Amino acid sequence: LPAYCVDASLRQCYDKIIRPAIERFNPDFILISAGFDAHWSDPLANLQLSTSGYYTITRDLLQVADHLCDGRIAFVLEGGYDPEALADNVGTVLCALAERKPREDRLGPAPVDEPNISQLIDELRGIHSL
């Protein structure tokens, strides 16, 4: 995802780039490198995803796995350096996997406005013929 993506930008990235790329690849199995350093409170990645955004993207990925590869999907923890956010984000992914409602997003949305990335998304779609 481009730097400074929050939930609206993530939605654009997923709908216009990620899902079409997954569908074009047509996998037999989806392996998710579950990095939680994209959360806005994480000190390393400088992205702006919320815990609610992690829930949404997990549910979306589960749907595409059901559609393309009979639900074969695995999540492997690989990053996240804010202990509070990491705990919340892992918990929300587990809720999505268990088809449960997520707990309240205690940390809320990112405190910084996101830039408009529509032009970047259009450029990436062109480069990758999506």
Side-chain angles (χ1 to χ4, degrees):
L1 295 175
Y4 302 107
C5 274
V6 292
D7 298 348
S9 293
L10 175 66
R11 177 87 270 150
Q12 279 186 293
C13 292
Y14 182 82
D15 290 344
K16 294 182 177 184
I17 298 171
I18 298 169
R19 181 158 185 158
I22 294 170
E23 288 175 346
R24 182 171 64 193
F25 187 73
N26 195 26
D28 295 322
F29 180 87
I30 297 173
L31 179 62
I32 305 298
S33 178
F36 295 100
D37 48 349
H39 192 272
W40 65 263
S41 70
D42 194 275
L44 294 185
N46 203 23
L47 297 174
Q48 296 183 44
L49 190 59
S50 69
T51 300
S52 297
Y54 276 107
Y55 183 80
T56 299
I57 195 71
T58 301
R59 291 188 39 102
D60 290 344
L61 290 167
L62 291 171
Q63 288 175 352
V64 78
D66 284 342
H67 174 71
L68 294 176
C69 47
D70 296 322
R72 291 185 297 269
I73 190 169
F75 292 75
V76 179
L77 180 62
E78 63 88 9
Y81 306 94
D82 177 314
E84 185 177 9
L86 179 61
D88 287 358
N89 295 329
V90 169
T92 204
V93 167
L94 292 173
C95 285
L97 288 167
E99 298 181 355
R100 293 186 174 177
K101 292 175 106 178
R103 290 184 272 164
E104 179 183 343
D105 185 345
R106 297 181 303 133
L107 300 173
V112 178
D113 290 337
E114 66 182 332
N116 183 338
I117 63 166
S118 297
Q119 182 179 354
L120 176 61
I121 288 174
D122 290 343
E123 289 175 22
L124 289 171
R125 286 176 53 82
I127 290 168
H128 297 286
S129 302
L130 298 172

